[in-house]
């Protein structure tokens, strides 16, 4: 579904990613793990075209070159980025935030149908649909960010640190929601520092270290890798 080919990415003169290559397969949960500053968020921002690689290509679906697309076109190709920190419109209502996820094409035409489905998945959002987003709890805001992404009818959904700042019980709830989204046929790419839970739930994973891919394998394989155990699992 997605092929990232030998990308180098910079912030100004500072190089952050070196020769990063990986793929995301249809209907899988693919995880990127790594320490703070390893380049995980930069990778997702580059796929979203918020950053441009100086070298390499990013191909989606039937040869769509994402590295040549402006950021506002990415969502029309069926890709959604649920960003770190949620980035909601805090002064707008819950329902207005959801509608912002359905401004184009089929998503706009099917807005009411999808909105009903989102409220079935997240009944708390329906209860609070007239409430301003900035007054929601952290867990509710994360649900809203996910719901807004689903409103665009994505083929690929990318999550950047969805469990950040949430209580453990809410983390379990968010991960359960991500597994359910996959069951609906949406491919998932997940960036997370909660390594134990993400490796347990994913199909495959890559390890980023100082801007380079250093390991890859299934979640089970990486859970047993001595380097991963030492660096991320405290074993």
């Amino acid at each position: 579904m997605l092929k990232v080919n030998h990308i180098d990415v910079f912030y100004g003169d500072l190089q952050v990613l070196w020769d990063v290559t990986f793929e995301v397969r249809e209907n899988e949960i693919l995880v990127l793990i790594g320490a703070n500053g390893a380049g995980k968020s930069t990778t997702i921002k580059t796929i979203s075209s918020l950053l441009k690689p100086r070298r390499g290509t990013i191909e989606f679906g039937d040869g769509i070159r994402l590295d040549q697309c402006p950021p506002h076109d990415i969502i029309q190709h069926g890709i959604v980025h649920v960003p770190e920190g949620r980035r909601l419109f805090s002064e707008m209502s819950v329902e207005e935030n959801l509608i912002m996820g359905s401004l184009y094409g089929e998503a706009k035409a099917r807005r009411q149908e999808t909105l009903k489905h989102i409220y079935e998945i997240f009944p708390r959002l329906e209860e609070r649909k007239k409430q301003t987003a900035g007054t929601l709890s952290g867990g509710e805001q994360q649900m809203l960010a996910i719901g807004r992404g689903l409103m665009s009818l994505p083929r690929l959904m990318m999550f950047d640190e969805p469990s950040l700042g949430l209580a453990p019980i809410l983390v379990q709830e968010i991960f359960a929601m991500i597994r359910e989204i996959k069951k609906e046929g949406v491919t998932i790419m997940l960036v997370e520092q909660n390594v134990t839970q993400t490796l347990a739930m994913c199909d495959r994973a890559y390890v980023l270290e100082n801007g380079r891919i250093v390991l890859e394998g299934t979640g089970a394989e990486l859970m047993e890798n001595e380097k991963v155990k030492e660096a991320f699992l405290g074993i």
Side-chain angles (χ1 to χ4, degrees), residues 11-12 24 31 44 51 59 75 81 84 98 105-106 117 123 142 166 172 176 184 211 216 220:
Y11 288 103
V24 183
V31 172
I44 284 190
L51 297 170
E59 299 178 16
I75 196 167
H81 178 175
E84 181 180 349
L98 291 172
E106 186 182 2
H117 182 53
Q142 188 62 66
L166 300 183
Q172 297 289 342
E184 294 192 0
E216 63 177 282

Side-chain angles (χ1 to χ4, degrees), residues 83-167:
E84 181 180 349
R86 300 176 277 273
R87 302 294 183 92
L88 301 172
F89 299 98
S90 61
E91 297 300 318
M92 293 169 62
S93 72
V94 166
E95 191 158 291
E96 287 168 339
N97 270 270
L98 291 172
I99 288 170
M100 291 297 289
S102 60
L103 298 181
Y104 296 103
E106 186 182 2
K108 186 174 182 179
R110 293 174 55 188
R111 178 181 292 161
Q112 292 307 313
E113 172 192 345
T114 311
L115 192 61
K116 181 180 177 183
H117 182 53
I118 298 302
Y119 286 149
E120 289 170 353
I121 300 171
F122 303 113
R124 271 182 279 180
L125 296 185
E126 184 171 26
E127 292 169 8
R128 292 158 172 75
K129 63 183 180 181
K130 302 302 182 185
Q131 190 171 327
T132 55
T135 63
L136 299 177
S137 70
E140 290 164 348
Q141 288 188 11
Q142 188 62 66
M143 291 175 198
L144 180 53
I146 294 170
R148 183 179 60 185
L150 288 171
M151 286 293 293
S152 72
L153 306 176
R155 294 174 58 200
L156 171 65
M157 203 161 183
M158 302 189 296
F159 293 87
D160 192 354
E161 303 284 3
S163 73
L164 189 67
L166 300 183

